[in-house]
Amino acid sequence: MADLSVLLCAVIPPLLLLAYYYCRVSTAPSLLRLLLFFVVGAISGFIALSLEWVFETVANSIVDWQQMNKSLPGIALRQLVEIGPIEEGCKLAAVIAPSCYFKRRYQLRPGSVFLFTIAVALGFTAQENWIYLYNGTASIFERSIGTPVHALFSAPWGYALGIFIGSYIRLSRYKKVIPSAWLNSVICHALVNILSSAWRYPAPLSFLSYASFPFQLWMFWRLEQLLRKVQSKPPITLISGYTPKLRNWQRGLVLFALMIGGNAILGLFLMGRIISPLSLSQLFYPDVFWFIFPRFLLSLIFAMIAWLIYRYLRRSARRQYF
């Protein structure tokens, strides 16, 4: 029964996010086909885990790989050489193989292939969730808040692959873009993991961790923009100034919104990590409540400021075009 509850906690958040994107794509494939890609993504996660074990076994026979990974440069090397390439490679294969099979029978649209990528990435996340929760190395809250990350990583090559596979005429330029888009995903994947690991080290290295959630927020924005492009919708414009001075001002606002919005999420993440062992009744103890309330309020204020900046930039862009 406990194993079933762990499995449900691992699978439900990715499935809910998949349902959200399924409802947003007008050319979405059948739900059954999408769930097939979700399962294939989970299988690719186990394959990636096995390949990483093989890689580390071979690497340890050549150099002291485990000792190297105790420093931040060693972690960066591991992420760029091992984790990023293996995980993004397994996800890419998990999208290409079934897509080629369906391509022989149906005309796949770019939006469908992009949604396949999201489904595979979320299946991969479900597998990771199960591993972490089963071994007790992360809380349900931590894994839930990290649900979108694999979809954020894979968005560039998912878009390029969608345009290539989904076009009536195979566009050779997009075939050439797929390797560079995949490399982009590997670098972003590695960078997020490096920034997330920086908090373990003394200052100033620990300050790098404050860039993790703003960077992930930017990747979420990129995913949303690519989702619009793959459905032939106009992109959301934030930088609309006619003069260089105004455009630089707007770019500064975007950067500021990413910083405070990302760190609002970081604040909630850290607070959730602290209070996750507590029971529901303990949350209302006076000392616990007054520990939670000001931190939650501060994160909420930061999030509202970031949202207001976003709405201001959107309205400014609309006034430029209408």
Side-chain angles (χ1 to χ4, degrees):
M1 196 65 178
D3 290 347
L4 179 60
S5 63
V6 168
L7 181 62
L8 291 175
C9 290
V11 170
I12 288 175
L15 282 178
L16 290 175
L17 189 59
L18 181 60
Y20 168 73
Y21 281 108
Y22 173 76
C23 294
R24 289 185 57 196
V25 177
S26 56
T27 60
S30 68
L31 188 57
L32 185 61
R33 197 177 303 168
L34 208 56
L35 290 175
L36 171 65
F37 277 86
F38 183 87
V39 172
V40 171
I43 294 170
S44 74
F46 286 106
I47 294 172
L49 195 63
S50 301
L51 291 175
E52 288 164 6
W53 179 81
V54 171
F55 181 95
E56 294 196 0
T57 301
V58 173
N60 278 320
S61 66
I62 300 171
V63 296
D64 193 350
W65 188 251
Q66 289 184 342
Q67 184 63 33
M68 287 175 60
N69 291 325
K70 293 182 179 179
S71 65
L72 193 60
I75 290 174
L77 180 65
R78 179 174 181 257
Q79 293 297 328
L80 288 167
V81 173
E82 176 192 344
I83 303 298
I86 288 176
E87 294 191 358
E88 293 304 317
C90 286
K91 286 188 286 183
L92 179 62
V95 175
I96 289 177
S99 295
C100 290
Y101 172 80
F102 288 121
K103 178 68 177 175
R104 297 172 188 164
R105 291 161 175 77
Y106 313 101
Q107 175 59 46
L108 297 179
R109 296 177 182 271
S112 297
V113 179
F114 192 72
L115 199 54
F116 291 159
T117 302
I118 293 175
V120 164
L122 291 174
F124 196 101
T125 300
Q127 175 269 338
E128 271 196 353
N129 288 350
W130 182 79
I131 294 291
Y132 279 102
L133 296 177
Y134 185 78
N135 291 290
T137 52
S139 68
I140 295 173
F141 176 80
E142 289 172 344
R143 295 311 304 170
S144 297
I145 205 169
T147 296
V149 290
H150 276 289
L152 305 184
F153 297 151
S154 303
W157 60 256
Y159 171 77
L161 192 66
I163 297 297
F164 175 69
I165 293 179
S167 300
Y168 288 98
I169 301 174
R170 293 293 177 90
L171 302 176
S172 59
R173 68 177 181 274
Y174 282 101
K175 185 177 181 180
K176 295 175 182 177
V177 166
I178 292 172
S180 60
W182 178 83
L183 183 60
N184 181 296
S185 296
V186 169
I187 293 171
C188 289
H189 190 144
L191 188 55
V192 167
N193 288 342
I194 293 165
L195 293 174
S196 300
S197 302
W199 65 270
R200 306 173 190 169
Y201 300 92
L205 288 179
S206 60
F207 295 143
L208 291 173
S209 61
Y210 290 100
S212 177
F213 278 95
F215 184 57
Q216 291 179 60
L217 193 57
W218 172 79
M219 287 195 297
F220 174 75
W221 170 256
R222 180 179 64 174
L223 171 65
E224 289 294 310
Q225 293 288 69
L226 292 175
L227 182 63
R228 292 180 69 88
K229 286 179 69 176
V230 86
Q231 296 183 87
S232 301
K233 294 181 179 179
I236 297 173
T237 303
L238 296 182
I239 310 299
S240 59
Y242 286 128
T243 64
K245 183 178 180 180
L246 184 55
R247 285 196 295 272
N248 288 334
W249 162 250
Q250 291 173 339
R251 291 188 185 104
L253 284 178
V254 169
L255 182 61
F256 180 66
L258 287 173
M259 289 301 299
I260 63 172
N263 282 294
I265 301 172
L266 174 62
L268 293 174
F269 175 77
L270 294 176
M271 186 178 63
R273 174 182 282 179
I274 293 170
I275 67 174
S276 59
L278 303 178
S279 65
L280 184 60
S281 61
Q282 289 174 318
L283 297 180
F284 295 97
Y285 289 174
D287 53 341
V288 175
F289 177 81
W290 288 112
F291 172 83
I292 295 171
F293 181 72
R295 288 162 177 78
F296 175 78
L297 187 60
L298 183 63
S299 295
L300 184 61
I301 289 171
F302 283 166
M304 287 301 299
I305 293 172
W307 175 252
L308 289 173
I309 292 172
Y310 170 76
R311 298 306 305 172
Y312 163 75
L313 292 171
R314 287 291 307 273
R315 285 196 297 270
S316 298
R318 289 194 188 103
R319 286 198 296 268
Q320 295 287 348
Y321 290 106
F322 294 99

